[in-house]
């Protein structure tokens, strides 16, 4: 087990190195190079020379990479000249709000997907199963902004239950719970569609296993078989699925944040893209990539700890 | 042998088949039978064919001007002149659904084709080489998957000027990662099989083994994956259009029509939202159904029912 965790951590480090290389390549693909991308297209040659000198951009590429990664490791993600703020400060302000959005949507989706998937598997090919399968296909096939709009129409316009805009940045998030409902609900439904389909087939697979037949033969009640035997086996793979779906959920969060004007990392990234604020885009990519790597590392370790059958 | 390779069932190998007579055990026939048994997959294929007819033959019957805007006719409701009304700059919505559908379908199909082929080659080389090459190639995939695709797409779109070709290349440049992993896993399994050993013993080089013996066996998996890729690409284009990074006008796609339409969600212009929305959802669902059906049909075990 320890050997596996050590190996898995080493793997994560290699992937992190890969992420940094990708962002470094993006940095050098920027129009006009890193200096112009940071200072703006109208920067004069003198300030560009000063910038290049300061950040070692005259050095050969490997040295440049080392300087850049050294900065990153010291927690310096760059400076947004457009917003006149350090990228660290911007992220420190916006990251927690994205974590609230993504975290609550993922938790609700998992908590809802497990009973839903089990119910569908137990009553497979019943009208209820068809309706739920149809719904999850529908949510899965809707562009996320469209799903958000439909929810706004239904729950804000037709039935005025919740406000159509997300929380504002000026007040604490938790004092604006009603503004959180629609963004979280949108992201939850997209994620739920994926998880419940997975859960349904996972339970179906387990129902055909020998241990279920044995348990039935022993005379255990159907409820006991489902909850004591099938449920733990069917739920475990969901942990891995969460790790694998993290990039997708974060992508969905970007759309949801821009739709509801929710002041998180996604919105920050998108606004930065529109104003060509590349330091912010690069810093956000590094942080999100790191988050995904750590997230899937945790999911894999948790899975190894939770499933006693896993021996690597 | 018949157990191993779906391409050569024993019946085909043993005796010559009369070409005029339909062979009930032909892999294609059983493939089609399993596929057609899946009602949803069949319905999905019909929807796809209908959409192709609508987009590519429709404009022949229903002629509209999809190049010049007409502000005087902006946001009119459905009428005999404009069966589904007009959009915010006066384009006929029904005609635009056809023109936009052409771009949507072509972009999505090209992305799927490009991503599947590149993923096939990358995954096959990686899995077949093994060792250090394999690790290196797979860590590249892992790293690229760690940064959410949408963020990278927005980045690339901000650097490059959007056009249909660039859009296809940019989306495909991220979409190949998943199929590459899939193919690698398959190849890892296949390369230890007896017939590969036999081919190697008979003096076949790595290129021959890869192309003659491994590719045909992963093609099925790839076809399934490519079908899902089409559906995903439609959604990706829609998401990018919503973020203002799609294909610049006057070209249209269902995603951009939908995202333009939702800006008028409270103006009551339903014809600018729901038709495009229904098209996107219907085509994505259809390709997902077909993908599910293909997966069952490719699965050799199911054919012996």
């Amino acid at each position: 087990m320890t050997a596996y965790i050590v190996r898995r951590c080493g793997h994560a480090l290699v992937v992190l190195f890969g992420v940094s290389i990708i962002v470094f390549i993006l940095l050098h693909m920027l129009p006009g190079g890193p200096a112009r991308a940071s200072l703006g297209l109208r920067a004069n040659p003198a300030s560009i020379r000063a910038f290049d000198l300061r950040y070692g951009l005259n050095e050969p590429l490997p040295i440049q990479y080392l300087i850049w990664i050294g900065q990153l490791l010291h927690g310096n993600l760059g400076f947004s000249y457009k917003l006149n703020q350090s990228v660290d400060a911007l992220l420190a302000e916006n990251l927690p709000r994205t974590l609230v959005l993504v975290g609550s949507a993922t938790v609700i989706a998992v908590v809802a997907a497990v009973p839903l998937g089990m119910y569908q598997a137990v009553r497979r090919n019943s009208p209820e199963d068809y309706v739920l399968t149809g719904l999850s296909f529908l949510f899965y096939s809707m562009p996320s902004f469209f799903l958000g709009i439909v929810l706004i129409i239904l729950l804000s316009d037709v039935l005025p239950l919740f406000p159509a805009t997300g929380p504002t940045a000026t007040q604490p998030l938790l004092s604006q719970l009603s503004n959180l409902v629609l963004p979280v609900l949108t992201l939850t439904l997209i994620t739920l569609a994926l998880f419940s389909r997975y859960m349904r087939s996972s339970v179906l697979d387990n129902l055909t296993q020998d241990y279920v037949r044995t348990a039935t033969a022993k005379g255990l009640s159907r409820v006991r078989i489902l909850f004591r035997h099938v449920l733990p086996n069917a739920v475990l793979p969901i942990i891995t699925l969460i790790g694998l779906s993290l990039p997708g959920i974060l992508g969905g969060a970007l759309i949801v944040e821009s739709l509801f004007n929710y002041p998180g990392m996604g919105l920050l990234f998108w606004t930065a893209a529109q104003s060509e604020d590349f330091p912010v885009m690069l810093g956000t990519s590094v942080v999100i990539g790191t988050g995904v790597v750590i997230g899937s590392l945790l999911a894999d370790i948790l899975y190894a700890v939770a499933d006693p059958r896993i021996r690597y | 042998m018949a157990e191993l390779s779906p391409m050569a069932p024993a019946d085909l190998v043993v005796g010559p088949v009369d070409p005029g007579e339909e062979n009930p055990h032909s892999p294609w026939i059983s493939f089609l039978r399993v596929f057609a048994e899946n009602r949803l997959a069949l319905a999905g294929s019909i929807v796809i064919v209908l959409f192709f007819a609508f987009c590519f033959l429709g404009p022949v019957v229903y002629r509209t001007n999809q190049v010049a805007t007409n502000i005087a006719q902006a946001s009119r409701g459905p009428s005999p002149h404009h069966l589904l009304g007009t959009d915010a700059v006066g384009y006929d919505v029904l005609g635009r659904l056809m023109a936009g559908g052409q771009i949507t379908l072509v972009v999505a199909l090209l992305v799927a084709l490009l991503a599947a082929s590149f993923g096939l080659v990358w995954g096959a080389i990686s899995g077949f080489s093994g060792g250090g090459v394999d690790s290196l190639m797979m860590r590249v995939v892992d790293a690229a998957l760690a940064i959410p695709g949408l963020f990278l797409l927005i980045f690339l779109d901000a650097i490059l000027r959007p056009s249909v070709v660039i859009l296809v290349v940019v989306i495909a440049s991220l979409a190949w990662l998943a199929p590459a992993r899939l193919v690698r896993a398959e190849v890892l399994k296949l390369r230890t099989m007896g017939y590969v050993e036999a081919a190697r013993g008979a003096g076949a080089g790595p290129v021959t083994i890869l192309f003659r013996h491994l590719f045909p066996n992963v093609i099925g998996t790839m076809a399934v994956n490519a079908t899902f890729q089409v559906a995903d690409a439609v959604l990706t284009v829609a998401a990018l259009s919503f973020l203002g990074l799609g294909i610049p006008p006057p070209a249209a796609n269902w995603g951009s029509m939908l995202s333009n339409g939702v800006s008028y969600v409270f103006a009551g212009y339903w014809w600018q939202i729901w038709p495009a929305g229904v098209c996107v959802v219907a085509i994505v669902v259809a390709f997902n159904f077909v993908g599910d059906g293909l997966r069952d049909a490719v699965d050799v075990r199911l054919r012996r029912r």
Side-chain angles (χ1 to χ4, degrees):
Chain A
M1 174 67 90
T2 321
Y4 167 72
I5 293 179
V6 169
R7 200 147 32 91
R8 187 60 188 76
C9 288
H11 171 253
L13 279 179
V14 175
V15 174
L16 274 183
F17 172 70
V19 168
S20 74
I21 294 278
I22 291 177
V23 177
F24 187 69
I25 292 173
L26 287 176
L27 176 70
H28 284 268
M29 274 172 70
L30 296 178
R36 265 193 202 288
S38 285
L39 300 175
L41 287 174
R42 267 177 284 172
N44 62 42
S47 57
I48 286 184
R49 265 197 305 279
F51 186 93
D52 283 354
L53 203 63
R54 180 163 164 219
Y55 291 100
L57 295 172
N58 302 319
E59 308 283 343
L61 275 182
I63 306 288
Q64 279 193 35
Y65 173 77
L66 288 179
I67 295 175
W68 177 74
I69 200 89
Q71 293 280 337
L72 280 188
L73 292 177
H74 282 94
N76 180 5
L77 292 166
F79 191 84
S80 163
Y81 290 83
K82 295 245 162 56
L83 299 171
N84 201 23
Q85 245 181 316
S86 77
V87 176
D88 294 74
L90 285 167
L91 289 180
E93 195 188 326
N94 290 289
L95 180 62
R97 289 194 281 256
T98 295
L99 287 181
V100 169
L101 174 67
V102 169
S104 46
T106 311
V107 169
I108 300 174
V110 172
V111 168
V114 170
L116 260 182
M118 267 187 68
Y119 177 77
Q120 281 183 264
V122 171
R123 318 210 52 180
R124 69 173 173 286
N125 298 339
S126 68
E128 299 95 305
D129 179 32
Y130 280 125
V131 169
L132 288 172
T133 305
L135 278 180
S136 67
F137 255 112
L138 187 68
F139 291 144
Y140 184 76
S141 305
M142 265 180 152
S144 24
F145 69 92
F146 185 43
L147 177 61
I149 288 285
V150 171
L151 289 177
I152 290 178
I153 293 178
L154 289 180
L155 299 179
S156 182
D157 196 35
V158 179
L159 293 172
L161 294 174
F162 306 107
T165 51
T168 55
T170 47
Q171 285 167 318
L173 206 53
L174 294 177
S175 68
Q176 317 173 61
L177 282 180
S178 65
N179 298 77
L180 264 172
V181 173
L182 286 185
V184 171
L185 184 61
T186 310
L187 195 57
T188 303
L189 287 180
I190 308 168
T191 319
L192 177 62
L194 178 71
F195 286 2
S196 70
R197 268 186 79 191
Y198 189 85
M199 187 66 196
R200 176 181 181 273
S201 59
S202 176
V203 172
L204 275 182
D205 276 353
N206 274 289
L207 283 177
T208 60
Q209 300 274 320
D210 287 342
Y211 74 84
V212 172
R213 200 186 311 151
T214 313
T216 317
K218 275 194 336 192
L220 290 190
S221 75
R222 189 142 176 81
V223 174
R224 194 175 164 79
I225 294 175
L226 267 178
F227 285 89
R228 289 281 298 158
H229 296 269
V230 172
L231 182 63
N233 282 309
V235 156
L236 276 181
I238 292 269
I239 301 177
T240 315
L241 188 68
I242 296 174
L244 286 177
S245 352
L246 262 185
I249 300 178
L250 284 166
L254 189 150
I255 300 274
V256 169
E257 287 181 8
S258 10
L259 177 66
F260 290 97
N261 217 13
Y262 184 104
M265 294 244 297
L267 189 63
L268 178 71
F269 186 85
W270 183 48
T271 352
Q274 286 174 318
S275 59
E276 307 202 326
D277 192 347
F278 293 113
V280 171
M281 297 177 77
L282 291 166
T284 315
S285 308
V286 170
V287 169
I288 290 207
T290 312
V292 169
V293 172
I294 294 176
S296 50
L297 174 68
L298 288 181
D300 280 1
I301 291 180
L302 194 63
Y303 184 64
V305 172
D307 193 336
R309 286 170 306 183
I310 307 281
R311 287 286 169 264
Y312 296 91
Chain B
M1 202 61 195
E3 291 298 322
L4 297 176
S5 160
M7 294 299 159
D11 318 58
L12 263 186
V13 181
V14 171
V17 179
D18 182 1
E21 190 184 321
E22 231 180 14
N23 175 11
H25 298 293
S26 143
W28 287 107
I29 301 293
S30 55
F31 172 88
L32 284 178
R33 203 182 48 228
V34 175
F35 184 79
E37 262 173 29
N38 185 333
R39 297 268 173 76
L40 290 178
L42 205 60
S45 354
I46 293 171
V47 168
I48 292 171
V49 170
L50 289 179
F51 264 120
F52 267 92
F54 169 73
C55 297
F56 289 92
L57 302 178
V60 181
V61 187
Y62 187 78
R63 290 171 182 282
T64 51
N65 184 347
Q66 292 298 335
V67 181
T69 58
N70 185 357
I71 300 296
Q73 289 289 322
S75 293
R76 297 287 173 94
S79 67
H81 288 292
H82 301 289
L83 293 180
L84 270 179
T86 60
D87 71 1
V89 289
Y91 289 122
D92 179 279
V93 170
L94 184 58
R96 202 142 184 84
L97 280 177
M98 297 169 182
Q102 291 181 5
I103 294 186
T104 306
L105 290 172
V106 168
V107 166
L109 288 175
L110 284 179
V111 166
L113 194 69
L114 216 60
S117 338
F118 193 70
L120 176 66
V121 173
W122 187 278
I125 294 178
S126 177
F128 191 66
S129 311
V133 180
D134 180 34
S135 302
L136 183 69
M137 289 177 88
M138 277 304 116
R139 290 307 82 77
V140 171
V141 172
D142 290 345
L145 277 174
I147 306 177
L150 202 53
F151 285 77
L152 283 178
L153 288 174
I154 292 175
F155 215 115
L156 292 175
D157 241 355
I159 299 174
L160 308 164
R161 211 176 297 262
S163 72
V164 173
V165 179
I166 297 225
L167 192 71
V168 169
V169 173
V170 163
I171 299 180
S173 73
L174 293 176
W176 64 272
L177 299 162
R181 267 192 174 170
L182 210 66
V183 171
R184 172 183 173 266
E186 284 276 300
V187 167
L188 278 184
K189 214 163 50 190
L190 288 172
R191 71 175 188 158
T192 56
M193 292 240 166
Y195 70 92
V196 175
E197 199 83 1
R200 197 175 288 131
V207 177
T208 316
I209 293 179
L210 209 55
F211 281 89
R212 285 280 300 151
H213 301 284
L214 294 184
F215 272 16
N217 284 298
V218 259
I219 276 297
T221 318
M222 283 321 292
V224 175
N225 182 267
T227 315
F228 292 126
Q229 294 272 355
V230 178
D232 287 350
V234 172
L235 289 178
T236 309
V237 175
L240 286 177
S241 303
F242 170 70
L243 296 172
L245 298 164
I247 308 157
N253 70 76
W254 290 338
S256 64
M257 293 180 66
L258 183 57
S259 62
N260 290 338
V262 297
S263 343
Y264 300 97
V265 59
F266 295 118
Y269 303 153
W270 58 266
W271 60 92
Q272 293 183 8
I273 303 174
W274 299 107
V278 168
C279 283
V280 172
V281 173
I283 200 79
V284 173
V285 170
F287 272 105
N288 272 315
F289 282 166
V290 171
D292 278 348
L294 276 181
R295 180 163 47 201
D296 290 351
V298 164
D299 195 335
V300 195
R301 287 168 304 166
L302 287 179
R303 289 196 203 160
R304 298 187 184 276
R305 281 186 304 197

